[in-house]
Amino acid sequence: MDAPNHPLLLRALHWIDAFAVIVMILSGWRIYDASPLYGFLFPAELTLGGWLAGALAWHFAAMWLLAANLLAYLLYGVATGRFLRLFLPLWPGAIWRDARAVLTGHMAHVPGRYNAAQRAAYVFAILATIVAILSGLALWKPVQLQELTALMGGFETARRVHFVAMAALVFFLLAHISLALSNKSVLKAMTIGSKERAQ
């Protein structure tokens, strides 16, 4: 039976997630610039918030949106069986084989079906988002959430964990967007939906 390739709820969750992640990254870069960890700053034109307090306001607002949306996405994925059906199993050999095929242009994308490299990338992005949220909470409330902060290795280590999680999400976004733009049917399926055979 023909059906939209991506259900409306899934598409809504996807775009809410994209908005929240982009707001968090851009505001996070402004927060980073106020107290840099490494020997560089992000260009002010690529940041959000204008100043530290403004960036923090954007960052925390987007954090709650991201956390709620991620929870809804996870519940949806478990309730519908989507995670088991589309993302598992993950075998290192298959991931490596499919990643090489994708990078060399020898693998076609079939809407609704993910190769092993795509499955690994989506699971990686979900885990990076969870780590970003948890490390962010440890930075926000290091005393009230001292067990979480300790689990992260202390406040300064939590800052680095948070930065690495952000960098991982940026890397994922760049790859995700470039692949989506190279295949217009994928972009259409995630915006207005497309009449493909249900998977």
Side-chain angles (χ1 to χ4, degrees), residues 6-23 62 65-66 69-70 73 173 176-177 180-181 183-193:
H6 295 299
L8 178 60
L9 176 59
L10 181 64
R11 284 182 273 140
L13 291 171
H14 174 273
W15 291 110
I16 291 169
D17 185 67
F19 172 78
V21 167
I22 289 170
V23 169
L65 178 62
L66 180 64
N69 194 70
L70 177 62
Y73 178 74
L173 277 177
H176 185 64
I177 291 169
L181 291 177
N183 188 331
K184 298 299 188 286
S185 66
V186 173
L187 192 56
K188 179 185 176 186
M190 192 49 83
T191 50
I192 61 173

Side-chain angles (χ1 to χ4, degrees), residues 2-165:
D2 287 342
N5 184 257
H6 295 299
L8 178 60
L9 176 59
L10 181 64
R11 284 182 273 140
L13 291 171
H14 174 273
W15 291 110
I16 291 169
D17 185 67
F19 172 78
V21 167
I22 289 170
V23 169
M24 288 206 72
I25 289 170
L26 298 182
S27 59
W29 287 352
R30 173 62 72 176
I31 295 166
Y32 168 91
D33 283 354
S35 180
L37 281 168
Y38 305 105
F40 67 90
L41 296 175
F42 292 100
E45 300 78 20
L46 297 179
T47 66
L48 178 67
W51 57 310
L52 180 57
L56 286 167
W58 277 103
H59 206 64
F60 289 131
M63 178 197 71
W64 292 116
L65 178 62
L66 180 64
N69 194 70
L70 177 62
L71 179 60
Y73 178 74
L74 293 175
L75 290 173
Y76 172 85
V78 171
T80 61
R82 178 181 171 82
F83 286 163
L84 286 175
R85 187 173 68 252
L86 295 182
F87 294 156
L88 297 175
L90 287 175
W91 303 110
I95 294 168
W96 175 245
R97 179 200 66 221
D98 289 353
R100 282 187 306 168
V102 168
L103 292 173
T104 56
H106 291 101
M107 179 164 290
H109 176 71
V110 179
R113 291 186 184 170
Y114 301 128
N115 61 56
Q118 286 174 299
R119 293 197 302 269
Y122 284 119
V123 171
F124 171 80
I126 291 169
L127 294 176
T129 302
I130 292 170
V131 170
I133 291 171
L134 292 177
S135 57
L137 289 171
L139 295 173
W140 180 39
K141 298 287 186 181
V143 175
Q144 295 90 334
L145 299 174
Q146 55 187 296
E147 292 84 3
L148 179 59
T149 306
L151 183 64
M152 294 286 167
F155 186 84
E156 285 303 318
T157 303
R159 288 187 71 199
R160 286 164 172 75
V161 169
H162 197 63
F163 184 90
V164 169

